[in-house]
């Protein structure tokens, strides 16, 4: 059930905290202090006000807040003892079901990170693949303390923005979703190409998994991902064009399955990846933006 | 050691057969009868004359000749009891070292084929990958007798053309080699792109193997295959462009390894597969021809 | 002032003819006979019913109707003695303001056509450039009588469809408009390119004229033509990209004004003509459809 | 008649000056002083030695040398009173046959330039179109004295390099020629496209002139310019592809004459401008380099 911005703007402090107290992990004080800044013209302004409370808090309070977060892929996750939000976020990537080897790798990273910074590694897991989490984990462990504190608070912003948007109705919602789409155009005929089967794979360090599949519609278009942040990582689209050109093809046809491999770096962006194709050539580029 | 066309044209029948008698498997009579057609202006004309002897032979003799060929991937191959030429040809694809499952599949196809046609399946293995041999084997087993006899003689032509070219010096050599090359052009700078690492994989039904690798030269060019027939089959080039664009890249870069997957259908052709690239787009097409 | 389909469906014959009697040039009988087929679920169905009246009319009546049309670029046009609709249609192309040479050419074609077929040349001028009218005029004069009668009635369909749509409100309007748009994408940066100045020229046999100009918007898009049928003919888009790449350019820059020359053959279609560009390359294709 | 480098290296001073004395306009002293630097391993080294003589000369001598050059498009040119080399160079661009307006424009520029610098404007006209000469003339008139002296000597280098290469046989000829070529590839068929008629135009400020025309050969290639420096300026290639696609075309065909407009900035480079085309799309880029 969602709340409207109008209702929030009209509520007293107790109601406000009841509604928003769990947006920041174990941190109802953030909502308490943000209450004074009402009314909020947009959901974005509300989120910014709550983040300002965190950034303005004394260093001790900030660290206590960060320490209230669960470890990524850690024992708390395995034991299931997380807040509902954290459980849903980590579970979506399977971080609560790691193999023993993976669990050991996360344990090592968690230990090194905690020893250096004194709080657990925090990242908006809904914006990442497992590979990009590990890459960031290793890179951020090399940060100095101030840079890493800023990075952790920036990730708190990503996490709470998503939690807030899930709970709120109202104007000025911050952008928390991305989109991956494609468009197949056959320049032999000068027409969009309907009925091309397209598969999307995540290309992991050790494995690949099929995330989505679609047929191009009458305009030659297909939407593969939408309605959520895209996950930073490496992907491959596979366009099954062999059948489309079967009549004019050599045996075997020069092009059959066309792979287009690319990375997503901006979870809230639109990645439009068209394929302009003939039986003997193709062009692809990043459109959208 | 090779022979010149002039020497062959000047030789008597015994010398001619000594030189060419083993071009056609267990068929020295082909050379014997072709001797009368001397002199040959080109190696192509010599080969054509020998093929004409085979096509003009009585049906019984043709069938006996075809029956003199070893089974593909069969017991003779495993036992090593083939002519040197056949052993080298089949061994190049590993058809003498099949797994038990593969051996069983060839056995079934060999049995079905022999029962229907009365002679073993013949194919110019140097022009094929293992996958394309199996595809042709299954397709040709569905032929009627006359179509298949013509197909078998056509393959005899491919096989003996290669054997003859390996043995002969002289003008008018038939074309028995193909070429696979690439060219990387960076249209951000309008310049050929040197130093791009390119790998070539064969994409088999069950596995992929790296066949060749090269760096593009100062003209942005690289040659992957040359000097032999290309093998009919499916391939993937992988262009490692990530490093080239590292300075201007997002993290991770949109393009890192660019795969281009294509089939080769004409073993004696030039497949030129250029990549025209920017950090956010590329075009590829079949050039050459 | 427009009429609703509901009002028409509810009107008696006199009201129906008053509303639609001038859609067919000097042919109120078409509306009179179509009245019986009420009610019409869509404007398209209404138009189709009126065309069916024309096609079902006796040959004599059809010819009399065709003969009621003015000559193209003829004396009637020069004298200004046409129906308002005809005057607006012919005037839009300047057919009422021809040079003496052009007038003479139309006179010759009008004479040859009238002598062969006994009625004036009829064409939906709003779907054509002056060049394509002359090309069709010459081609159709070579038709036999039956083919040309069908061609003339088909053009009556185009003309009256536009007149009807201009007069009617209501569901199921037939498609009478086309669109010409573009999209500039800079693959050096992987982003749409705002602020590119684009000009559209008609490329006539003897001259070129600028029809429209636009700057690409924040999505890199610009619409050049819309809201009317496109005119069959030859065009050139000119993209002024030199300034966009000035910082990285050689002197002079390799690309400055990029011309894309193309023909429009389908007036009611969407021609989307993107330009995917770097300082040293570009790709264009017909999108839309 | 050309001279070999060996002969020059063996000659005495008088012979050396007789051979090379007119390479530098009215400046036999350049050859006289360069004689001491024999032997020259390459023609490039010989040219460099002569340029070094000029750069090492006292400022007065340099200026006297520059003042010995004729004005561009000036009265001397009109009157025909130039050295043979200068006459051929200026005549190639028609600078001795200017219209009165153009003559007046050159007169104004010549006067302004001479007043500021005290010597005539010098430029290697064989590397320029008339438009690029005027553009450089206006730009260089804004230089300060030292920058312009260096620019003038750099142009002396271009001019004398061409004169020397025209006169010499021998190893290590400096590069003085460029090349403009194209390649048409039809990706509907995956084949080079023979028989496409290609025209090359120079796009001047006020007019365009056809410089060359060619048909693509069996490899789809055509060479438009070679054997001389390319002229800095703006060009348009026109590919007549309409006939090639006539069978599958709409009426009129979407693509008929494809213009590719580009600038040449480097006279001694290879501009390879391919066209990869289907009936509904094309890609072009600068290859070569």
């Amino acid at each position: 059930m969602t709340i409207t911005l109008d209702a929030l703007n009209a509520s007293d402090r107790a109601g406000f905290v009841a509604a928003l107290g769990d947006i920041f992990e174990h941190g109802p004080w953030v909502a308490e202090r943000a209450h004074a800044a009402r009314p909020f013209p947009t959901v974005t302004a509300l989120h910014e006000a709550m983040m300002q409370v965190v950034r303005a808090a004394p260093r001790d309070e900030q660290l206590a807040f960060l320490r209230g977060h669960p470890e990524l892929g850690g024992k708390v996750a395995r034991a299931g003892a997380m807040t509902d939000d954290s459980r849903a976020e980590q579970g979506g990537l399977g971080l609560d079901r790691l193999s023993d080897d993976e669990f050991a790798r996360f344990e090592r990273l968690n230990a090194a990170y905690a020893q250096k910074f004194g709080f657990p590694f925090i990242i908006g897991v809904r914006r990442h693949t497992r590979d990009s989490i590990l890459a960031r984990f290793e890179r951020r462990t090399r940060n100095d303390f101030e840079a890493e504190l800023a990075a952790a608070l920036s990730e708190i912003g990503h996490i709470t923005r998503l939690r807030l948007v899930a709970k709120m109705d109202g104007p000025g919602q911050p952008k928390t979703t991305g989109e991956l789409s494609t468009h197949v155009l056959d320049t032999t005929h000068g027409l969009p190409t309907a009925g091309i089967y397209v598969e999307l794979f995540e290309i992991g360090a050790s494995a690949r998994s099929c995330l989505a599949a679609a047929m191009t519609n009458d305009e030659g278009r297909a939407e593969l991902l939408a309605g959520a942040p895209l996950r930073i990582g490496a992907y491959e689209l596979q366009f099954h064009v062999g059948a489309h050109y079967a009549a004019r093809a050599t045996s075997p046809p020069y092009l059959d399955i066309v792979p287009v491999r690319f990375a997503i770096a901006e979870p809230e962006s639109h990645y439009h990846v068209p394929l302009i194709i003939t039986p003997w050539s193709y062009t692809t580029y990043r459109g959208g933006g």
Side-chain angles (χ1 to χ4, degrees), chain A:
Chain A
M1 209 190 71
T2 56
I3 313 167
T4 68
L5 191 59
D6 282 349
L8 264 188
N9 279 332
S11 64
D12 61 10
R13 177 173 299 207
F16 194 84
V17 173
L20 303 182
D22 57 356
I23 297 286
F24 287 70
E25 191 96 352
H26 304 306
W29 55 273
V30 181
E32 277 168 23
R33 296 179 205 169
H35 181 257
R38 284 171 315 137
F40 304 104
T42 62
V43 178
T44 298
L46 165 58
H47 181 256
E48 185 45 39
M50 297 181 88
M51 283 302 295
Q52 187 49 34
V53 167
V54 175
R55 284 191 292 259
R59 177 63 56 97
D60 280 358
E61 203 166 20
Q62 287 178 335
L63 293 176
F65 166 64
L66 293 177
R67 289 185 191 116
H69 287 74
E71 286 192 331
L72 260 194
K75 287 174 201 135
V76 176
R78 272 203 167 175
M82 291 188 288
T83 63
D84 288 350
D85 280 335
S86 284
R87 185 177 308 117
E89 288 155 8
Q90 295 205 21
L93 271 187
L95 297 179
D96 55 349
R97 302 179 302 277
L98 296 174
S99 70
D100 285 351
D101 274 3
E102 290 170 317
F103 182 77
R105 186 168 175 202
F106 269 103
E107 286 287 282
R108 277 194 303 275
L109 282 163
N110 277 322
Y113 185 96
Q115 179 173 5
K116 179 163 182 184
F117 300 113
F119 52 85
F121 178 73
I122 294 165
I123 191 165
V125 295
R126 293 200 168 159
R127 305 170 76 251
H128 287 274
T129 57
R130 209 186 279 205
D131 279 354
S132 73
I133 286 176
L134 285 166
R136 301 280 164 125
F137 210 160
E138 292 180 348
R139 198 188 313 156
R140 282 173 49 191
T141 301
R142 296 193 291 272
N143 274 347
D144 63 30
F145 186 87
E146 290 302 324
E148 183 51 24
L149 182 62
L153 291 180
S154 170
E155 292 295 327
I156 293 292
H158 290 308
I159 294 166
T160 56
R161 190 180 296 114
L162 274 163
R163 290 182 179 180
L164 187 63
V165 163
K167 186 167 285 199
M168 295 289 308
D169 280 334
Q173 294 273 0
K175 170 90 169 146
T176 56
T177 62
E179 184 183 354
L180 174 63
S181 60
T182 187
H183 186 192
V184 181
L185 191 108
D186 168 3
T187 54
T188 312
H189 305 105
L191 292 173
T193 307
I196 300 289
Y197 183 66
V198 186
E199 291 177 311
L200 173 69
F201 293 87
E202 183 191 329
I203 309 289
S206 55
R208 56 170 55 198
S209 56
C210 185
L211 301 184
M215 297 281 273
T216 57
N217 67 14
D218 284 352
E219 292 183 331
R221 296 180 185 277
E223 188 165 74
L224 280 308
L225 298 174
L230 303 178
R231 292 183 184 279
I232 295 170
Y235 296 86
E236 186 170 297
L237 283 167
Q238 295 195 347
F239 298 85
H240 293 242
V241 303
H244 179 66
Y245 286 124
R248 71 176 69 207
T250 53
S251 174
Y254 182 68
L255 298 178
D256 183 8
I257 295 175
V258 172
V260 175
R261 197 177 295 182
F262 61 98
I264 287 176
E266 299 167 350
E268 291 81 19
S269 289
H270 180 188
Y271 284 74
H272 183 58
V273 185
L275 188 72
I276 308 168
I277 194 162
T278 78
W280 298 93
S281 70
Y282 57 90
T283 292
T284 185
Y285 57 93
R286 183 190 166 184

